[in-house]
Amino acid sequence: MIETRPQKTHERAILIGLEHGGVSKWDLRDSMEELAELAHSAGAEVVDTVTQKLQKPTAPYYIGKGKAESIKDSIQDRQVTSVIFDDELSPAQGRNLETLLARKVLDRTQLILDIFAQRARSREGRLQIELAQLQYLLPRLTRMWHHLSRQTGGIGTRGPGETQLEVDRRRVQERIARLERELESVRRTRAVQRQGRKRHQWPVAAVVGYTNAGKSTLLNLLTGADVVAADKLFATLDPTTRSFTLPNKQRVLLTDTVGFLRKLPHTLIESFKATLEEVSEADLLIHVVDLSHPRVDEQMEAVDKVIKELDAFGKQTLIVFNKIDNLANRELAEAYVSRFHNSVAISARTGEGVSKLVSALQEALSSWRLRLQFRLPAKESALMAEIHRVGHVLELRYEDENALIVAHVPPHLEAKLAPFSEP
């Protein structure tokens, strides 16, 4: 007898978008294309995309009731398992849609949270995504318990259902409080680590950019880090910090950060504050841009918006236009480099242009190195040790009880060395 194995099931999704208010059809088209990428990253097959134009979302269904009814009819014979909306739904809208469509209803926020849950590997990452999920879930618990009223009617189920709902709400609130305490501990640990780096006076460059722009690939290329790099959205979530030594022997710490996105859920930004603080605390931002993407300008604006939310806007920034190997016309790279100050064009995959990036990074951090000449008495052994630890000695010779030194040093040492300066 031949054993028959059940076929592997997978998600079949239909995507729903709404053109309303200040959202043009071009904005909606771009957003729906990105939603399809997100659905694919989450493991879903996109069966169809449906859009509607309204003055504003409707309170009961987000879309019009007639459109919702037509979607209900169309999904019956197409084995659709999920209906995904491009904007965040209210608890009432989600509840009404699930009742009408008899299918799993998700919005963009849930989809992004699901992808993050799949990709988080570290304990910190899992804590952050669980917190974001619970914060999203809390106002929607009524929707989760709505099935009780459909089982046997209201008599005999209302009291226990309401009691259990309150129990669940309290448990979720307690878990949120516990996660926030644990993440506060993570923040304190990161603050201690940053203080340690400051003691060494190593500049920190945070690598930021739209998701799938090539940040991890660049970090791997420069530092030999083994960070997951794949051609999909949010391939890696856990931050990685690696040391990189510039040609002038200056050491810089490069920190890879989670990719940004248009309509990035606010709960996600709040939950990932412990990680994203690396951006606000960095000395330099390296903004990696996928120049081959058709919506490159919109993606740059989305990254700038998140950076503003993190109070990091205005920091010294080096723009890295990546993936020039995918361009049909290389003149586009020249045009963008001319248009944006402090920018270079590279391919992190092939290594093309990376030498220019390294030179630009060294130039951007040049203020961290002052070339000083001084005569240091032998009794200043602690200061001598600090120079060797955080600076780069170019010349050293001894005369009597003094050391004649020419060195590149960080700015904080200038005042200490002023009494020993040589013309």
Side-chain angles (χ1 to χ4, degrees):
M1 180 178 178
I2 299 176
E3 181 183 356
T4 58
R5 297 182 179 179
Q7 289 187 340
K8 185 179 179 181
T9 59
H10 63 279
E11 297 274 356
R12 288 172 58 85
I14 185 169
L15 310 182
I16 313 294
L18 193 62
E19 180 186 341
H20 65 91
V23 179
S24 70
K25 66 178 181 180
W26 306 114
D27 291 335
L28 179 61
R29 184 196 65 182
D30 291 346
S31 189
M32 293 302 289
E33 287 178 4
E34 186 173 87
L35 186 66
E37 289 183 56
L38 288 167
H40 175 72
S41 292
E45 175 189 353
V46 177
V47 175
D48 195 9
T49 298
V50 178
T51 61
Q52 185 180 25
K53 184 175 182 179
L54 293 173
Q55 283 295 107
K56 62 180 181 179
T58 68
Y61 297 104
Y62 181 75
I63 52 177
K65 186 175 181 181
K67 177 66 73 174
E69 293 281 2
S70 68
I71 291 171
K72 176 185 177 181
D73 295 337
S74 71
I75 64 178
Q76 297 297 329
D77 302 324
R78 304 175 74 175
Q79 297 181 310
V80 171
T81 59
S82 305
V83 181
I84 305 175
F85 285 75
D86 190 42
D87 282 309
E88 187 169 311
L89 300 172
S90 71
Q93 288 168 340
R95 182 168 61 250
N96 293 339
L97 286 162
E98 283 193 343
T99 301
L100 176 67
L101 302 176
R103 294 291 188 278
K104 181 168 57 179
V105 173
L106 305 171
D107 58 26
R108 175 182 272 254
T109 298
Q110 284 176 283
L111 185 59
I112 293 172
L113 291 175
D114 183 80
I115 295 171
F116 271 55
Q118 290 181 42
R119 305 281 161 77
R121 293 290 177 267
S122 69
R123 176 178 173 273
E124 177 187 346
R126 289 193 292 269
L127 287 174
Q128 290 173 129
I129 191 60
E130 184 184 355
L131 176 59
Q133 287 176 318
L134 290 175
Q135 288 172 331
Y136 178 87
L137 171 66
L138 186 59
R140 293 165 173 81
L141 280 177
T142 304
R143 171 180 161 192
M144 306 298 290
W145 273 94
H146 189 59
H147 67 281
L148 285 176
S149 63
R150 296 201 302 265
Q151 285 180 343
T152 57
I155 298 175
T157 60
R158 279 193 294 258
E162 290 167 355
T163 302
Q164 186 61 52
L165 175 61
E166 290 305 316
V167 169
D168 283 359
R169 182 177 285 118
R170 186 171 63 253
R171 285 176 176 170
V172 169
Q173 290 170 332
E174 289 171 353
R175 180 62 180 162
I176 286 174
R178 191 178 310 123
L179 288 169
E180 288 176 338
R181 288 194 297 272
E182 291 188 54
L183 285 172
E184 183 58 36
S185 175
V186 170
R187 280 176 124 168
R188 288 195 297 268
T189 300
R190 285 192 173 276
V192 171
Q193 291 171 343
R194 281 194 293 269
Q195 287 301 318
R197 294 198 292 259
K198 286 179 180 178
R199 281 197 299 272
H200 288 290
Q201 288 298 313
W202 294 337
V204 177
V207 185
V208 301
Y210 211 79
T211 181
N212 204 29
K215 301 182 301 300
S216 297
T217 303
L218 178 60
L219 190 71
N220 289 342
L221 176 67
L222 292 177
T223 69
D226 189 22
V227 180
V228 175
D231 187 19
K232 56 186 178 182
L233 303 185
F234 302 120
T236 180
L237 297 180
D238 299 317
T240 302
T241 299
R242 293 289 184 270
S243 173
F244 177 63
T245 304
L246 294 165
N248 66 357
K249 305 302 181 184
Q250 179 177 4
R251 179 180 281 182
V252 56
L253 295 178
L254 301 178
T255 298
D256 188 20
T257 60
V258 63
F260 299 158
L261 193 72
R262 282 190 300 179
K263 301 182 183 178
L264 195 63
H266 185 71
T267 55
L268 207 55
I269 294 176
E270 284 299 311
S271 299
F272 274 74
K273 274 286 178 68
T275 298
L276 295 174
E277 275 181 350
E278 297 293 337
V279 176
S280 57
E281 294 289 338
D283 304 295
L284 172 74
L285 301 183
I286 300 176
H287 182 177
V288 181
V289 180
D290 178 1
L291 191 57
S292 67
H293 200 284
R295 298 184 295 278
V296 56
D297 289 300
E298 289 87 346
Q299 290 190 350
M300 292 180 71
E301 289 173 7
V303 171
D304 287 342
K305 182 178 178 181
V306 177
I307 288 174
K308 285 179 181 177
E309 281 197 57
L310 297 171
D311 295 325
F313 196 72
K315 279 185 178 290
Q316 184 181 9
T317 302
L318 174 61
I319 301 175
V320 179
F321 292 110
N322 190 26
K323 303 189 181 182
I324 59 174
D325 54 308
N326 291 341
L327 294 179
N329 182 6
R330 290 297 184 93
E331 291 180 359
L332 182 65
E334 296 174 9
Y336 269 83
V337 170
S338 299
R339 177 178 158 195
F340 289 91
H341 182 59
N342 291 334
S343 66
V344 293
I346 71 159
S347 168
R349 187 176 66 84
T350 67
E352 181 183 354
V354 171
S355 60
K356 291 182 179 179
L357 165 61
V358 172
S359 297
L361 182 58
Q362 183 169 286
E363 177 65 24
L365 295 172
S366 61
S367 62
W368 278 75
R369 293 288 173 176
L370 303 171
R371 192 179 190 277
L372 298 180
Q373 182 172 324
F374 45 90
R375 183 185 297 268
L376 201 63
K379 64 179 181 179
E380 298 290 343
S381 57
L383 187 53
M384 173 70 84
E386 186 174 5
I387 293 167
H388 280 284
R389 178 167 53 84
V390 303
H392 177 53
V393 176
L394 304 174
E395 298 177 24
L396 172 61
R397 70 178 189 274
Y398 291 95
E399 287 185 1
D400 300 325
E401 297 296 319
N402 299 319
L404 299 179
I405 303 174
V406 178
H408 283 150
V409 297
H412 82 285
L413 276 183
E414 185 176 16
K416 288 185 180 180
L417 292 171
F420 311 109
S421 178
E422 286 277 292

